[in-house]
Amino acid sequence: MRVHAKRAVALAAGLLLPVTVMADWTMNMSPGVTSTSNQIFSLHMTILWICVAIGVIVFGVMFWSIFAHRKSRGAKPANFHENTVVEVLWTIIPLAILVAMAIPATATLVEMYDTTESDVDIKITGYQWRWQYEYIDDDFSFFSNMSTPRDQIRNRQAKGEHYLLEVDNPLVIPVGKKVRFLLTANDVIHSWWVPAFGVKKDAIPGFINETWTRVDVPGTYRGQCTELCGKDHGFMPVVVKAVPEEEYNEWVAEQREMAEMERQLTEKDWTLDELMERGERAYATACASCHQADGTGLPPAFPALKGSQMALEDMEGHIDIVVNGAPGTAMQAFGNQLSEVDLAAVITYERNAWGNNTGEMVTPKEIFDYKNQQ
Amino acid sequence: MSAVADTHTQDHHHGPAKGISRWLLTTNHKDIGSMYLIFSFAMFLLGGSMAMVIRAELFQPGLQIVEPEFFNQMTTMHGLIMVFGAVMPAFVGLANWMLPLMVGAPDMALPRMNNWSFWLLPCAFLILVSTLFMQGGAPDFGWTFYAPLSTTYGPPSTTFFIFAVHIMGVSSIMGAINVIATILNMRAPGMTLMKMPLFVWTWLITAFLLIAVMPVLAGVVTMMLMDIHFGTSFFDASGGGDPVLFQHVFWFFGHPEVYIMILPAFGAISHIVSAFSRKPLFGYASMVYAVGAIAIMSFMVWAHHMFTVGMPLAGQLFFMYATMLIAVPTGVKVFNWVTTMFRGSLSFEAPMLFSVAFIILFTIGGFSGLMLAIAPADFQYHDTYFVVAHFHYVLVPGAIFGIFASAYFWLPKWTGHMYDETLAKTHFWLSFIGMNLAFFPMHFLGLAGMPRRIPDYALQFTDFNMISSIGAFMFGATQLLFLFIVVKCVKGGKKAPAKPWDGAEGLEWTVPSPAPYHTFSTPPEVK
Amino acid sequence: MADNQTYYVPEQSKWPIVATVGLGVTLYGVASIMVNGKQGESTTGSWIMFMIGALIMAYMLFGWFGAVIRESRAGLYSPQMDRSFRWGMSWFIFSEVMFFAAFFGALFYVRVFVVPWLGGEGDKGSTNMLWEGFQASWPLVNNPDPQAYPGPTEVIGPWGLPLINTILLVTSSFTVTIAHHAMKAGDRAKIKLWLMATIALAVVFMFVQSYEYLHAYRDLDLTLQSGIYGSTFFMLTGFHGAHVFLGTLMLVIMLIRVNKGHFTADNHFGFEAAAWYWHFVDVVWLGLFVFVYVI
Ligand code: HEA
Ligand code: HEA
Ligand code: CUA
Ligand SMILES: [Cu+2]
């Protein structure tokens, strides 16, 4: 009951005073952890209070009329209908208020647009429905997929603390450095947003948008894709870990090493079982959102792979569509998104899972050759 | 077509035809107005039902009722149906009924075309709604249908959607041409432009906006069609196009469109506030200039919907300043209404209740609009529920309450009966509470970071979503009461005098209630 | 505004509903043709639907305009009615202007912003790293992704056929004006002569235009699919061409009506409307000539 009472009070207060910040109810923008987000926050609060003040005056006069000038209280109507002085006044005063708002807004905007002199450059590419982070200067990249289990979404399992806002590989950036983001997309428009940074920018296929941030407080910051990008638009979180510089450098070194190791894996001799195991994982992160975990797809938008003629017979075609995609459809070219190992694994998996028991496998080397001969 | 043989004097002296042909073949502005209003309400229920699906899914986190792809279809169709099916036709319906009565004309200027404008609408929506049953489902890319989600990645039904939009466009353009011709050409002798009732003024300007921007919408969907079927690359960078081009053209239409959905309400509210304050409208001339200013400015602000697409800085600044400026003329209108009430003799029948709520809540929506206009802040607000809160505050208590207010105000004139005041007041209070409960918490959701157009959300958004859904169900269910009140009023009730509201002014109150099938065969004299 | 008494409010009419059905069936048919065609399914049924719709539309156009003409000739229309038609036609033309404005806007935006950005200039210049080797130019002959959109080998220069077409259309605007003056003077022989001259010019224009299209497709690889240059080029000239066709149709109908003895020196709005439309088509062409071909 206490909860209910509390909610009722909060509701009442909320309806009357939009700005009341209740204890554990997030009702307002957060000031965030960058100078941009702080400036935005203070702009937001300033405009909000100006609007509240204007509202109080305007509605004050109105409620006064409603109470005092009611017909039922015997009010006799006046007959005035013009007054040049007040009309000019209530044109000029709002104009002045607007000018006063525009000045700090302009300053903030100019600063947000200054992407020069960055310390780290990261290229971010939006895919249906995950993000790719490319560390341009350090020559490695990875994908970042939502890691919330489907069972939580389908209410078959209790929801975790960071439900829908957790990923397998977060973006890692150094604290105190100016990080420049180069945003683009591979298919449709996405939008990359981290509220705590005050950064939101659209990722547009074929174009690059620039934006930047400088985070002062280490921590994990969460956001989401904010441009409708199809079916799983709601399941495309952004997670950023801001870490101290030394930690960042270590992490970068580690990533570079791992990228190198991944390249070497191509040379290894793989067995069907190894590929199947790796393929299942790769399939779950890269393909299942469209073709579904059980391979049945969502026809007609996304074809079934289970029992698909291509997956059963046409090996060449199968490799081709996965590597090069089907232009003009949602089927992307995975050739430069996944490593050769993952490509081989995923194709092998699709040819042997869900009753597609062809027994055939493709090796990473074959994929490598296929890509090179093109 | 026996019209040639008839003389016009005969025309004016018979009543409506019998049966279905009355409605299919009519050239009478009152019949056409009624059809528009009925159609619009049907669409409101349909679009509202889709909103109920949205709210039910969002009642709790997790996916429970619908799949994400269907959720997107619901969002899209809800937006499209409400905008093009409910609000716009409702205002055209009001215009059809009231403009000839207000300017003292026997009918609309081009009566046959008027009927065509109407019948194209059910045709367009039949096609639009039929997409729900097509392979691959209905359009699922939002009512703003940004490319390339709607072109390369759209479902097959997109093509049908495009043609439905074309038909709506034809309908709106012809309707608007008719309105302009009626207002400019059919006024009673003595009614100069600056003596026209405000509803007439606002519609004149709305019609101008419609003619200016509906063809642009037709243009942009045509480009989509070419990209989908004929290999052009308007919205594809690999051929030298740009997806953002779509947004520019769309919003060049889209922003004036939102004023199309509010200006006629401004007009109607001006009459109602003045009538129930029993006092002439304050600042008639400045009202007219303000509407004109809003209309002109609305062509220069479109990119405020695109602050995050990466426009050059100069563009951001221009569109920010221009957008903020619109607050000035809109403010003038709000101040004028409040001053009209000031020292009046106020009474609060249903039309007035809806009007007062309109002024307050629309202003709140306007304030959040102003906040959105501040470009740097919009980086945080954009595509969150804060935007959803903004536009539902200007659209639901704005456009929809404006329509309710007008409906109650003019129902006696249309039906000849008074509506049930107690029920109407109940309708108002339930709507008022439900609507605020549904949409106010969306501000908090947006500020706390909930994106729009998502079927599922993080746990910290749970409570407000639940409240919002409860409010939405309450508001929705209440609208059935409105249906009941109107049906009851059409069927019977206290006889309405020619002028049921003692403070009301205008030619429409000089004809009996219900207004005869043909009015003003001879024009009245206006002093 | 004193003559409301004589304002003609037509009887019930079946034309609007026929027109609705016609338009709906036609467009539904067109959409099905496109969708089924794209999916490789049979389009026979869709074509039949489209044909039926088109027939209904044709029937409606004859019937509706026929009715209006009959009413006009029966003297049911007042000067006020005439003004309604004038407002109607003017605003209709304005709506057409806005339709073209959308395409012109697209052209300007692409030329001023998009192509330079893709080529590495201006605010979004870093975009060029996605399109290595792409260079901005206009007319855009090499597209950012030449695989997906092979560009034209050449585009059409302004000083050949387009210039001839410009002269044709400008001349036709004069001839239609002469016909209009003849109308006001009541000189039927002269109207016919100059109206026929106008129509002839229009037909030659359309002929030249088709020849140009053929040349573009056959010899220059300039097609709808050849990137944004081809897209804007065919969109603008194509819709203009469609309007020329419509305008010519109107003029032909006017010629027929003149032959039938319709119109008087001071009551000939149908003719005027067609002439207005013709001038509008002409002005759009001048815009096209300057912005699509010359600059
Ligand atoms: C009826 C419809 C309607 C109306 C009237 C408005 C009115 C306004 N709108 Fe809104 N808007 C929409 C419908 C409408 N809008 C819709 C549907 C969307 C979303 C589309 C989508 O993405 O799906 C949208 C989105 C939208 C955005 C984009 C947000 C985003 O996506 O990030 C912006 C940004 O600037 C904006 C601004 C404004 C402004 C400044 C006004 C102004 O006209 C408001 C002016 C009014 C006032 C300010 C109040 C009264 C004034 C005073 C009392 C005077 C004194 C006041 C001051 C000086 C502060 N609107
Ligand atoms: C005039 C326009 C208008 C109107 C009136 C409304 C009315 C309502 N709208 Fe909406 N809305 C839009 C225009 C409008 N909307 C637009 C343009 C969008 C953006 C779309 C997009 O993102 O592309 C949008 C988006 C939108 C969203 C966001 C969806 C998303 O981002 O995923 C939501 C969520 O709550 C919502 C809710 C509602 C509700 C609860 C109502 C209620 O007011 C509706 C109440 C009416 C009824 C309910 C009908 C009457 C009752 C019955 C039929 C009986 C049945 C009743 C019950 C079962 C209780 N609307
Ligand atoms: Cu990606 Cu939304
Ligand atoms: Cu806008």
Side-chain angles (χ1 to χ4, degrees):
Chain A
M1 278 302 100
R2 239 193 66 231
V3 182
H4 284 281
K6 198 164 115 194
R7 283 183 192 172
V9 172
L11 184 64
L15 286 176
L16 295 174
L17 279 177
V19 287
T20 324
V21 185
M22 303 306 294
D24 54 344
W25 286 46
T26 331
M27 293 180 136
N28 200 1
M29 193 186 279
S30 85
V33 293
T34 65
S35 72
T36 308
S37 65
N38 276 292
Q39 285 178 38
I40 293 177
F41 179 75
S42 76
L43 261 178
H44 162 70
M45 292 313 287
T46 316
I47 322 163
L48 182 61
W49 283 116
I50 292 177
C51 288
V52 170
I54 298 175
V56 167
I57 298 170
V58 176
F59 302 146
V61 175
M62 186 168 175
F63 282 116
W64 169 252
S65 315
I66 290 176
F67 285 117
H69 306 147
R70 306 172 78 90
K71 188 174 178 228
S72 52
R73 294 184 54 178
K76 290 274 165 300
N79 199 30
F80 62 87
H81 56 85
E82 241 164 23
N83 185 328
T84 316
V85 177
V86 299
E87 288 180 62
V88 168
L89 272 184
W90 70 40
T91 311
I92 290 180
I93 294 175
L95 200 63
I97 298 176
L98 292 173
V99 173
M101 287 179 189
I103 293 168
T106 306
T108 308
L109 198 62
V110 170
E111 203 179 311
M112 288 168 80
Y113 260 68
D114 177 16
T115 50
T116 56
E117 289 169 27
S118 61
D119 304 308
V120 181
D121 289 350
I122 299 174
K123 183 168 164 229
I124 303 178
T125 309
Y127 289 83
Q128 279 179 326
W129 291 274
R130 60 185 167 283
W131 296 101
Q132 183 187 27
Y133 299 115
E134 226 174 309
Y135 289 69
I136 303 181
D137 314 322
D138 293 298
D139 212 24
F140 67 87
S141 73
F142 57 87
F143 281 89
S144 177
N145 288 285
M146 185 181 75
S147 60
T148 302
R150 293 273 141 184
D151 277 348
Q152 288 191 11
I153 296 171
R154 298 282 159 181
N155 309 309
R156 290 187 287 256
Q157 192 186 326
K159 298 186 184 353
E161 187 191 354
H162 298 301
Y163 177 70
L164 298 188
L165 298 179
E166 50 203 345
V167 296
D168 49 4
N169 304 304
L171 174 71
V172 179
I173 57 170
V175 165
K177 296 272 177 195
K178 184 160 180 177
V179 184
R180 183 168 70 128
F181 301 115
L182 302 168
L183 278 149
T184 185
N186 182 59
D187 32 49
V188 301
I189 304 178
H190 303 266
S191 187
W192 195 81
W193 183 33
V194 182
F197 301 170
V199 169
K200 179 186 288 154
K201 203 88 180 193
D202 290 2
I204 296 161
F207 290 84
I208 286 187
N209 272 332
E210 296 185 27
T211 185
W212 66 276
T213 191
R214 181 185 280 119
V215 183
D216 297 323
V217 195
T220 304
Y221 303 102
R222 291 167 206 278
Q224 276 173 278
C225 174
T226 47
E227 183 63 61
L228 179 60
C229 52
K231 173 170 82 70
D232 280 356
H233 159 61
F235 307 94
M236 199 176 157
V238 174
V239 179
V240 185
K241 256 164 81 175
V243 296
E245 207 185 340
E246 309 85 75
E247 202 179 315
Y248 173 75
N249 290 334
E250 267 167 46
W251 178 84
V252 167
E254 214 172 277
Q255 292 299 310
R256 298 178 69 147
E257 211 170 294
M258 268 171 47
E260 189 49 40
M261 266 162 58
E262 190 71 17
R263 267 167 231 141
Q264 278 165 13
L265 274 182
T266 318
E267 305 297 322
K268 179 179 163 281
D269 283 323
W270 290 81
T271 66
L272 181 65
D273 288 341
E274 282 172 338
L275 281 176
M276 281 296 284
E277 194 200 316
R278 196 179 166 110
E280 183 166 8
R281 257 183 292 136
Y283 182 86
T285 50
C287 324
S289 56
C290 294
H291 297 290
Q292 304 300 302
D294 59 358
T296 50
L298 293 167
F302 308 118
L305 301 178
K306 177 177 175 178
S308 131
Q309 201 179 332
M310 195 178 266
L312 290 173
E313 286 155 30
D314 183 6
M315 171 73 95
E316 186 80 13
H318 194 170
I319 299 178
D320 177 62
I321 197 168
V322 179
V323 172
N324 299 318
T329 73
M331 182 62 201
Q332 306 149 12
F334 284 92
N336 42 19
Q337 289 186 39
L338 302 179
S339 67
E340 277 80 36
V341 178
D342 280 331
L343 287 168
V346 112
I347 294 171
T348 306
Y349 176 73
E350 284 174 354
R351 301 183 82 81
N352 294 286
W354 332 293
N356 287 2
N357 297 320
T358 61
E360 296 170 346
M361 63 178 268
V362 214
T363 63
K365 267 209 283 298
E366 283 169 326
I367 298 287
F368 186 78
D369 293 342
Y370 179 86
K371 273 167 105 182
N372 278 1
Q373 55 159 306
Q374 283 194 321
Chain B
M1 274 309 307
S2 56
V4 186
D6 285 342
T7 67
H8 61 274
T9 32
Q10 275 168 339
D11 287 357
H12 291 307
H13 290 294
H14 63 71
K18 295 277 172 295
I20 183 78
S21 80
R22 163 171 180 192
W23 304 103
L24 286 178
L25 311 181
T26 184
T27 49
N28 180 285
H29 71 102
K30 300 184 183 78
D31 284 351
I32 296 176
S34 305
M35 288 196 293
Y36 263 112
L37 290 169
I38 293 166
F39 173 78
S40 135
F41 191 70
M43 287 296 122
F44 177 62
L45 291 190
L46 182 62
S49 308
M50 292 171 175
M52 295 299 108
V53 175
I54 296 174
R55 281 319 324 168
E57 177 56 51
L58 293 176
F59 189 71
Q60 280 176 3
L63 293 179
Q64 38 273 324
I65 300 171
V66 294
E67 291 300 312
E69 33 305 14
F70 189 69
F71 183 90
N72 287 346
Q73 295 174 27
M74 286 292 107
T75 300
T76 307
M77 295 293 263
H78 162 69
L80 288 170
I81 289 178
M82 284 301 196
V83 169
F84 294 103
V87 175
M88 287 168 68
F91 284 131
V92 184
L94 292 175
N96 259 299
W97 250 104
M98 301 317 297
L99 290 184
L101 289 181
M102 286 180 156
V103 300
D107 205 300
M108 296 292 277
L110 304 157
R112 272 180 300 226
M113 190 170 89
N114 198 17
N115 194 29
W116 195 23
S117 303
F118 169 74
W119 279 107
L120 281 177
L121 273 185
C123 172
F125 280 87
L126 202 67
I127 297 180
L128 186 65
V129 173
S130 75
T131 60
L132 274 169
F133 306 98
M134 285 180 191
Q135 201 196 27
D140 54 4
F141 27 63
W143 86 281
T144 51
F145 48 102
Y146 282 6
L149 186 62
S150 61
T151 53
T152 316
Y153 297 85
S157 61
T158 310
T159 306
F160 290 90
F161 154 80
I162 289 172
F163 284 109
V165 171
H166 276 132
I167 299 177
M168 286 172 211
V170 174
S171 158
S172 296
I173 291 170
M174 289 196 307
I177 288 176
N178 221 334
V179 165
I180 295 198
T182 308
I183 297 175
L184 292 182
N185 192 28
M186 309 273 289
R187 274 169 288 130
M191 184 179 282
T192 58
L193 284 178
M194 289 312 273
K195 278 189 192 160
M196 286 192 321
L198 261 177
F199 183 70
V200 180
W201 255 115
T202 51
W203 242 112
L204 179 66
I205 290 167
T206 304
F208 166 71
L209 288 178
L210 276 168
I211 301 177
V213 300
M214 289 310 285
V216 176
L217 176 69
V220 76
V221 295
T222 308
M223 286 190 246
M224 279 174 64
L225 189 76
M226 301 297 283
D227 265 17
I228 296 174
H229 292 288
F230 300 103
T232 55
S233 52
F234 288 106
F235 310 130
D236 185 349
S238 39
D242 184 353
V244 175
L245 167 62
F246 173 90
Q247 301 184 21
H248 281 291
V249 186
F250 177 84
W251 286 116
F252 185 84
F253 147 80
H255 187 82
E257 167 69 18
V258 307
Y259 292 112
I260 288 167
M261 291 191 282
I262 203 70
L263 294 184
F266 284 175
I269 294 299
S270 303
H271 292 272
I272 297 169
V273 167
S274 153
F276 292 93
S277 302
R278 294 166 182 80
K279 188 165 156 271
L281 182 72
F282 187 84
Y284 171 88
S286 65
M287 284 296 217
V288 172
Y289 299 138
V291 178
I294 293 174
I296 303 280
M297 281 192 232
S298 73
F299 289 110
M300 297 185 287
V301 301
W302 75 89
H304 64 215
H305 297 270
M306 304 164 53
F307 282 140
T308 63
V309 299
M311 263 186 295
L313 179 61
Q316 300 278 95
L317 291 174
F318 172 80
F319 286 111
M320 172 168 84
Y321 301 148
T323 306
M324 291 169 75
L325 270 185
I326 293 197
V328 175
T330 318
V332 166
K333 304 200 68 91
V334 172
F335 301 141
N336 279 337
W337 289 321
V338 172
T339 314
T340 304
M341 289 168 68
F342 187 69
R343 303 228 338 241
S345 167
L346 280 66
S347 63
F348 294 92
E349 287 85 349
M352 183 64 165
L353 284 174
F354 275 107
S355 299
V356 172
F358 172 98
I359 299 172
I360 299 174
L361 300 174
F362 171 80
T363 303
I364 293 179
F367 285 154
S368 60
L370 191 77
M371 296 171 74
L372 291 166
I374 309 289
D378 185 62
F379 278 88
Q380 292 287 42
Y381 307 136
H382 177 68
D383 264 341
T384 67
Y385 263 77
F386 192 78
V387 178
V388 179
H390 157 65
F391 67 73
H392 282 98
Y393 261 81
V394 281
L395 283 169
V396 177
I400 300 284
F401 277 20
I403 293 163
F404 285 150
S406 313
Y408 285 123
F409 190 51
W410 286 314
L411 258 178
K413 182 57 57 191
W414 299 338
T415 64
H417 305 293
M418 298 307 287
Y419 58 83
D420 185 328
E421 190 65 54
T422 322
L423 284 182
K425 281 188 172 143
T426 317
H427 172 222
F428 168 76
W429 284 109
L430 289 175
S431 294
F432 180 82
I433 296 169
M435 177 261 135
N436 280 295
L437 216 52
F439 299 116
F440 210 92
M442 290 186 185
H443 291 110
F444 308 145
L445 285 170
L447 292 175
M450 178 168 160
R452 58 193 280 211
R453 296 168 168 169
I454 57 174
D456 191 5
Y457 46 82
L459 300 180
Q460 70 264 34
F461 308 127
T462 310
D463 296 321
F464 284 128
N465 267 301
M466 207 172 269
I467 297 172
S468 173
S469 290
I470 293 171
F473 298 145
M474 178 173 163
F475 180 79
T478 307
Q479 304 325 314
L480 297 177
L481 181 60
F482 178 68
L483 182 62
F484 177 76
I485 295 170
V486 173
V487 171
K488 192 172 158 204
C489 176
V490 172
K491 288 212 161 140
K494 210 176 97 212
K495 283 267 166 289
K499 184 174 157 182
W501 315 114
D502 53 341
E505 300 279 348
L507 287 177
E508 74 264 37
W509 307 113
T510 62
V511 298
S513 300
Y517 198 59
H518 294 288
T519 36
F520 297 125
S521 301
T522 37
E525 195 73 33
V526 178
K527 280 165 267 85
Chain C
M1 279 156 265
D3 38 16
N4 269 29
Q5 299 92 319
T6 55
Y7 202 85
Y8 170 68
V9 178
E11 270 284 352
Q12 291 207 328
S13 163
K14 72 176 178 198
W15 298 117
I17 198 83
V18 174
T20 304
V21 174
L23 190 65
V25 172
T26 311
L27 291 187
Y28 202 93
V30 175
S32 316
I33 293 172
M34 289 179 174
V35 172
N36 291 343
K38 199 173 183 209
Q39 293 173 341
E41 285 160 27
S42 154
T43 52
T44 323
S46 316
W47 276 104
I48 293 175
M49 188 168 182
F50 165 69
M51 300 292 194
I52 294 176
L55 283 179
I56 301 178
M57 287 298 279
Y59 167 65
M60 177 280 291
L61 284 171
F62 276 104
W64 195 332
F65 281 110
V68 173
I69 292 167
R70 258 178 285 128
E71 286 160 20
S72 162
R73 292 179 54 73
L76 295 174
Y77 292 171
S78 58
Q80 194 186 18
M81 192 78 204
D82 192 61
R83 275 199 303 277
S84 286
F85 282 140
R86 274 161 204 277
W87 282 123
M89 191 65 194
S90 331
W91 287 103
F92 169 66
I93 290 179
F94 175 60
S95 80
E96 293 267 44
V97 169
M98 292 307 293
F99 184 68
F100 276 98
F103 299 136
F104 274 109
L107 176 70
F108 296 150
Y109 180 74
V110 165
R111 289 185 57 172
V112 177
F113 296 107
V114 178
V115 172
W117 284 340
L118 289 166
E121 296 154 32
D123 285 273
K124 287 214 232 182
S126 32
T127 292
N128 193 238
M129 67 194 266
L130 299 172
W131 306 106
E132 243 161 86
F134 173 74
Q135 273 173 351
S137 69
W138 194 268
L140 189 62
V141 185
N142 295 306
N143 290 313
D145 181 352
Q147 240 95 50
Y149 295 97
T153 49
E154 211 187 307
V155 301
I156 292 168
W159 306 119
L161 295 182
L163 180 65
I164 295 178
N165 262 349
T166 309
I167 295 168
L168 287 174
L169 270 196
V170 172
T171 315
S172 75
S173 249
F174 281 107
T175 50
V176 86
T177 307
I178 299 176
H180 189 191
H181 283 290
M183 176 74 85
K184 280 194 216 154
D187 183 346
R188 265 177 203 277
K190 204 170 159 196
I191 307 174
K192 278 186 217 166
L193 176 69
W194 289 103
L195 205 49
M196 275 193 283
T198 312
I199 295 169
L201 287 165
V203 171
V204 178
F205 173 92
M206 287 188 283
F207 180 77
V208 174
Q209 184 84 355
S210 329
Y211 178 79
E212 187 183 279
Y213 275 14
L214 221 61
H215 175 57
Y217 261 79
R218 275 225 215 105
D219 311 327
L220 308 179
D221 282 335
L222 174 61
T223 69
L224 276 169
Q225 292 88 353
S226 56
I228 195 67
Y229 186 84
S231 306
T232 49
F233 175 82
F234 285 108
M235 198 75 167
L236 278 159
T237 55
F239 270 104
H240 176 263
H243 283 76
V244 172
F245 181 73
L246 202 70
T248 312
L249 219 60
M250 289 186 192
L251 291 175
V252 170
I253 292 170
M254 292 312 137
L255 185 62
I256 296 172
R257 289 189 62 188
V258 172
N259 267 327
K260 278 193 170 174
H262 292 191
F263 302 130
T264 62
D266 41 31
N267 187 0
H268 52 261
F269 178 67
F271 177 86
E272 268 188 276
W276 288 356
Y277 197 79
W278 195 249
H279 289 311
F280 150 73
V281 168
D282 193 24
V283 171
V284 171
W285 175 263
L286 290 180
L288 273 176
F289 184 64
V290 173
F291 293 110
V292 176
Y293 291 101
V294 178
I295 300 180

